[in-house]
Every structure is written in C-alpha cells, then in structure tokens.
Amino acid sequence: MVKQKKLRFFSSVHFKIALVFVLLLMISIEIIGAIFIRELESSTIRTFEDNVSAQVDSLATNLSSELTKYKENPKDNNLKRTLVEFSKSDILEARLVDDKGIVIATSDPNLQGDIGKKNDYEAFNAYTTKREERRDPVTGDRVYVNIQQIYSPTGNAVIGFLYVKSDIESKYQQVSDIALIFFYASMIALIFSLIIALLVARTITKPIGEMKQQAVRLANGDYSRQVEVYGK
C-alpha cells in the first residue's frame, strides 16, 4: 500500500510539474555557476599576477642602486635584508643574481648555501625578462615566476637579475573553495525550490482535479438518470 502511494505520488501531475520546474532551475544555476566561477578564476589570477609583477618591477628598480653599491663594496650588503622584507606570505622565494650568473642573495633561509655559487635554476638560465605560470618540480603546486632584469642607475647596462617565485596555487584553491560553497548553496536552493514547486503545483492541480471529479460525478449522475428513464 505504501509503495503504491509512493508510485502514485511520483507519477502525479503536480510532482511532474515541480520536477520540470526544478530541472529548469538547476540547468540555469549550472550555467550561471560555470560562467561565474570561470570569470572569478580569471579575474583572481589576473589580479594576483598583475600585483606581483608590479611589486617585482618596483623591487628591481630599488635594487639597482643597492646592487651597484654591492659591486663597489661587497661587504656593504643589504640585499638579503631587502629580499627578506619583500617576501610575504605569497612570495616563496626572491633571488638576486649578478650579470655573471652568481647568486648574490636569496630570501629563502633553506637556500643560503646557494649564495656565491652559479645559479642552477633552469627557468633562470636565459637571464631575460620572463613571466610565466609553471609547476614547482618539488611540490607539484602551481607557481608564478617573475624574472626581471636589473639595470644600472644610468639605465645603459644590465647589472643583475631578479627571480621571484610566488604561490599562485593558493589563489586557485580560493576559487575552488568558493565554487564548493556555491555548489552547496545551489543544492540547498534546489531543495527549497522543489518543496515550493510541489506546493505551487498542488495548488494549481488541485482545482483541476476537483473539477475533473465533479465532471465525472455529473456524468455518472446523468447516466444513472438515463438508465432510470429507460428502465421505466
């Protein structure tokens, strides 16, 4: 009996109307969500890359005079402190290399042994300005790499190179978290929409059903009277 009631409910007109309404709503939400998440990711990543690139350009300009002083007097070295102060939560490493490819300073405390050695970063070997997103070979996370030439104060010669690796994976994770929240909110909205749609559909179909029953009763009443007349 319970099973038959369930089958009648799922095959009823008002359930089908509600289901069609919810399916249309779900399709609309999925389209809106896909566009929203794509635009959010594009905007978030572009803003992050622009901000980091602007900071790297500014740092490269500020390092010009300090690097010139270092070449004149290697003992007067404030370059490491400058790189450490520049490195924030999103900056994984800032590395300074001279025009001969020798590492002068790095902000990473675990890589201080590289100072004074030939730089061995493959992405850095060309020593040209470069901005690209790549995978970190160690962690596999996405990072944004900035390589910026440092010019002399007069601007007529390249005296060094600045390498900055920033954590762009966290920005992708932020977008993923927002997408997950959007998904949960959509599911809750769909559940409430289904309940409301069932109530609305029932309100619409109930008068129709009553009219149908009334028509059947009238038809049965006319038939009964006809039988009585013919029976007489």
Side-chain angles (χ1 to χ4, degrees), residues 117-144:
K117 299 179 181 179
K118 187 75 173 179
N119 179 71
D120 59 352
Y121 284 5
E122 181 181 352
F124 208 171
N125 289 341
Y127 300 107
T128 57
T129 299
K130 181 186 296 184
R131 293 171 180 173
E132 64 179 5
E133 182 181 320
R134 57 168 47 210
R135 291 280 182 178
D136 189 286
V138 177
T139 64
D141 293 337
R142 284 165 288 199
V143 295
Y144 184 56

Side-chain angles (χ1 to χ4, degrees), residues 13-224:
V13 175
H14 67 269
F15 176 78
K16 292 178 180 178
I17 293 175
L19 184 61
V20 169
F21 173 78
V22 171
L23 288 176
L24 291 174
L25 181 61
M26 183 174 65
I27 292 172
S28 300
I29 291 176
E30 290 298 322
I31 294 174
I32 294 172
I35 296 173
F36 170 74
I37 296 301
R38 184 182 63 187
E39 292 300 321
L40 176 65
E41 181 179 275
S42 176
S43 175
T44 301
I45 299 304
R46 183 172 60 251
T47 300
F48 176 80
E49 292 179 349
D50 290 344
N51 288 339
V52 172
S53 297
Q55 293 173 17
V56 171
D57 290 342
S58 177
L59 178 62
T61 301
N62 295 335
L63 286 174
S64 177
S65 58
E66 292 189 28
L67 186 55
T68 301
K69 292 179 183 178
Y70 171 81
K71 287 178 174 293
E72 296 173 354
N73 182 13
K75 293 182 180 180
D76 183 18
N77 188 358
N78 294 319
L79 297 172
K80 177 185 174 181
R81 183 178 63 187
T82 302
L83 295 183
V84 171
E85 290 176 353
F86 170 78
S87 298
K88 301 176 183 178
S89 58
D90 291 328
I91 304 300
L92 300 174
E93 183 191 5
R95 171 174 290 216
L96 184 62
V97 177
D98 64 14
D99 53 348
K100 297 181 178 62
I102 304 300
V103 179
I104 298 175
T106 176
S107 63
D108 192 333
N110 299 319
L111 299 175
Q112 298 303 310
D114 292 348
I115 296 176
K117 299 179 181 179
K118 187 75 173 179
N119 179 71
D120 59 352
Y121 284 5
E122 181 181 352
F124 208 171
N125 289 341
Y127 300 107
T128 57
T129 299
K130 181 186 296 184
R131 293 171 180 173
E132 64 179 5
E133 182 181 320
R134 57 168 47 210
R135 291 280 182 178
D136 189 286
V138 177
T139 64
D141 293 337
R142 284 165 288 199
V143 295
Y144 184 56
V145 173
N146 276 255
I147 300 174
Q148 181 67 41
Q149 294 177 331
I150 301 177
Y151 290 90
S152 62
T154 58
N156 57 0
V158 176
I159 59 175
F161 303 89
L162 176 64
Y163 170 93
V164 176
K165 181 173 67 173
S166 51
D167 178 20
I168 201 172
E169 183 70 30
S170 60
K171 302 304 173 183
Y172 282 104
Q173 186 59 47
Q174 288 177 10
V175 175
S176 297
D177 293 341
I178 293 173
L180 190 60
I181 293 172
F182 183 88
F183 172 76
Y184 287 143
S186 299
M187 292 300 101
I188 294 173
L190 286 174
I191 292 172
F192 280 105
S193 298
L194 179 59
I195 296 172
I196 295 172
L198 285 171
L199 294 175
V200 172
R202 185 175 181 180
T203 303
I204 295 172
T205 57
K206 186 176 181 180
I208 298 174
E210 292 176 349
M211 292 174 62
K212 182 179 178 181
Q213 291 177 0
Q214 186 177 1
V216 171
R217 285 197 298 269
L218 290 173
N220 290 335
D222 292 341
Y223 177 76
S224 298

